[in-house]
Amino acid sequence: MLQTANKNNNPSILLVSVDALKPEFVFEQERLGVNLPTITKYFVENGLTAPDGMKSVFPTFTYPCHQSMITGTNPATHKTYNNGIFDPTGEHLGAWHWFVSTEVKTLWEAAKENGYWSASVAFPTSVGANGDFIAPEFWWDGSSLDSRFIDAVAKPQGIILEMEKEIGQYAGGLDLTDAGDAQRGKAALWMLRNKIAPVISEKPFFMSAYFASFDESAHVNGVHSKEAAAALKTVVDQLLSDPQSGIMEVLTGEEAEKRGGFPEAAYVLVSEKGYELRDDVIGDYCRTTLTQKAQHGYNENFPEMRASFMLTGEGIRKGHIDDVRLIDVAPTLAGLMNFILPDAEGRNLLK
């Protein structure tokens, strides 16, 4: 969180998401052989942190999580249940849930309505966000064509091409390398310098930013009839009883909804640790060939699925906080900006 001078003296807020930054990388740096001096100085030593991490939502995928982070609601409420759009016939050509939720109000929209400049750079689920300066995450083929598409849906239109004259190609979402994150960083700084700084004396800002390469590095290195439902149940019951199936839980749609996700599903399979559920439709059911060394989507109660939570800035008490959930981020930041996020299902951690 950053604070700058403005007419109403409300704090400016910067929300930064570093995908897959687990709490042990922050609080067990020596054991893991990492060194994060900036995070240590400004957050661990001088901010409010959650050493036990922040409980994720169900399911624990990037896009549902970021939609939850920016709305304070569970996937069953904001309706983003996965990264990719459910498309078994392939008619959507691999489209993802790039779009902002139309079910609930976001921090971007609420901040704008409550006297803030509202901005975002590369944040998942931000296409269509109601804000002042929105550079969304979207991709087509990774080429310069991406920039034209993103510029068409950015706010205001033209901001991406304006930005690229100075920083080079905007990292729309396919470039998950360190170089891609370097471009995201340049884009965020460009936004702060060229769009926020010239108007900051009028009112404070809320801005979100996202960085993906840590997550990608972890990956690499680390139907509706009753008859069909009955047939599926027989299959999944067999899987659940088989100790070699890799299935930990079989949830009904009602059970899944109670945990915050997939209310329209017939069944939801939750894998055991060490197994990964994929969307392949041909080949063996169970393979032992390693696809990726780390993955999302596991049981949200696994400690390995917890995210880091760190808050710092003027007026923020130093110390530790427990029982933090991903859906608490939005109502907490809304509270700092002196408004209430109407649809939030989480709590303001500072009250």
Side-chain angles (χ1 to χ4, degrees):
M1 186 184 75
L2 303 175
Q3 182 158 347
T4 52
N6 55 78
K7 292 180 179 178
N8 59 16
N9 292 320
N10 279 343
S12 288
I13 304 290
L14 178 61
L15 169 62
V16 178
S17 172
V18 180
D19 206 336
L21 181 60
K22 297 166 66 175
E24 54 264 39
F25 284 96
V26 176
F27 296 99
E28 300 178 47
Q29 295 182 36
E30 184 175 354
R31 179 179 71 84
L32 296 175
V34 296
N35 184 27
L36 305 173
T38 301
I39 287 178
T40 299
K41 177 180 178 180
Y42 289 100
F43 293 94
V44 178
E45 296 177 356
N46 293 287
L48 182 64
T49 59
D52 292 332
M54 176 169 59
K55 184 178 180 180
S56 190
V57 293
F58 177 73
T60 56
F61 290 111
T62 297
Y63 271 46
C65 286
H66 282 77
Q67 195 83 274
S68 292
M69 198 186 308
I70 206 68
T71 65
T73 64
N74 284 293
T77 302
H78 61 60
K79 307 299 185 186
T80 299
Y81 308 126
N82 207 336
N83 290 335
I85 292 174
F86 181 64
D87 185 26
T89 63
E91 59 183 300
H92 296 304
L93 306 177
W96 277 37
H97 287 281
W98 295 298
F99 314 99
V100 70
S101 174
T102 59
E103 303 291 330
V104 290
K105 185 165 289 189
T106 69
L107 268 179
W108 299 308
E109 183 177 9
K112 181 178 173 66
E113 291 176 349
N114 285 274
Y116 273 74
W117 294 111
S118 179
S120 183
V121 173
F123 204 84
T125 72
S126 58
V127 173
N130 187 358
D132 298 292
F133 311 109
I134 306 294
E137 177 173 89
F138 177 80
W139 61 87
W140 186 254
D141 61 5
S143 74
S144 59
L145 192 63
D146 282 16
S147 299
R148 301 294 295 270
F149 277 120
I150 297 170
D151 194 61
V153 295
K155 293 183 180 178
Q157 186 175 356
I159 194 172
I160 302 299
L161 299 184
E162 179 187 354
M163 175 193 299
E164 289 188 336
K165 292 178 181 177
E166 182 174 331
I167 73 166
Q169 185 173 346
Y170 177 72
L174 283 180
D175 188 348
L176 305 179
T177 65
D178 288 342
D181 266 1
Q183 286 302 100
R184 292 180 184 90
K186 290 179 181 179
L189 291 173
W190 183 92
M191 188 77 80
L192 288 167
R193 182 173 62 248
N194 293 278
K195 298 301 176 183
I196 301 298
V199 297
I200 193 62
S201 62
E202 300 175 19
K203 52 187 179 181
F205 73 87
F206 165 70
M207 188 173 110
S208 60
Y210 172 75
F211 297 92
S213 66
F214 187 81
D215 175 66
E216 181 65 11
S217 177
H219 282 311
V220 173
N221 300 294
V223 187
H224 296 293
S225 72
K226 293 181 180 179
E227 292 80 7
L232 177 61
K233 186 178 190 303
T234 300
V235 173
V236 296
D237 282 350
Q238 290 173 348
L239 292 175
L240 192 58
S241 64
D242 180 359
Q244 303 302 318
S245 71
I247 302 301
M248 178 181 180
E249 295 178 277
V250 179
L251 308 176
T252 65
E254 291 180 353
E255 291 171 331
E257 185 172 17
K258 289 179 181 179
R259 285 167 65 165
F262 300 111
E264 299 171 4
Y267 293 93
V268 177
L269 305 182
V270 182
S271 71
E272 293 275 8
K273 292 182 182 180
Y275 289 82
E276 175 190 357
L277 298 175
R278 298 188 69 85
D279 54 5
D280 301 16
V281 295
I282 59 174
D284 294 335
Y285 159 72
C286 187
R287 300 196 298 267
T288 57
T289 303
L290 187 65
T291 304
Q292 293 177 315
K293 294 184 179 180
Q295 191 52 278
H296 315 272
Y298 288 102
N299 189 321
E300 76 279 15
N301 294 309
F302 287 169
E304 294 92 337
M305 291 292 100
R306 298 180 75 85
S308 298
F309 174 85
M310 298 173 280
L311 185 65
T312 192
E314 186 174 335
I316 301 298
R317 67 176 176 86
K318 302 177 186 178
H320 296 161
I321 187 169
D322 299 317
D323 192 27
V324 179
R325 301 168 298 168
L326 194 70
I327 58 174
D328 297 332
V329 171
T332 299
L333 297 184
L336 285 168
M337 292 184 275
N338 293 311
F339 62 82
I340 295 174
L341 198 60
D343 303 310
E345 297 169 328
R347 66 186 179 98
N348 183 341
L349 297 168
L350 303 180
K351 280 194 171 183

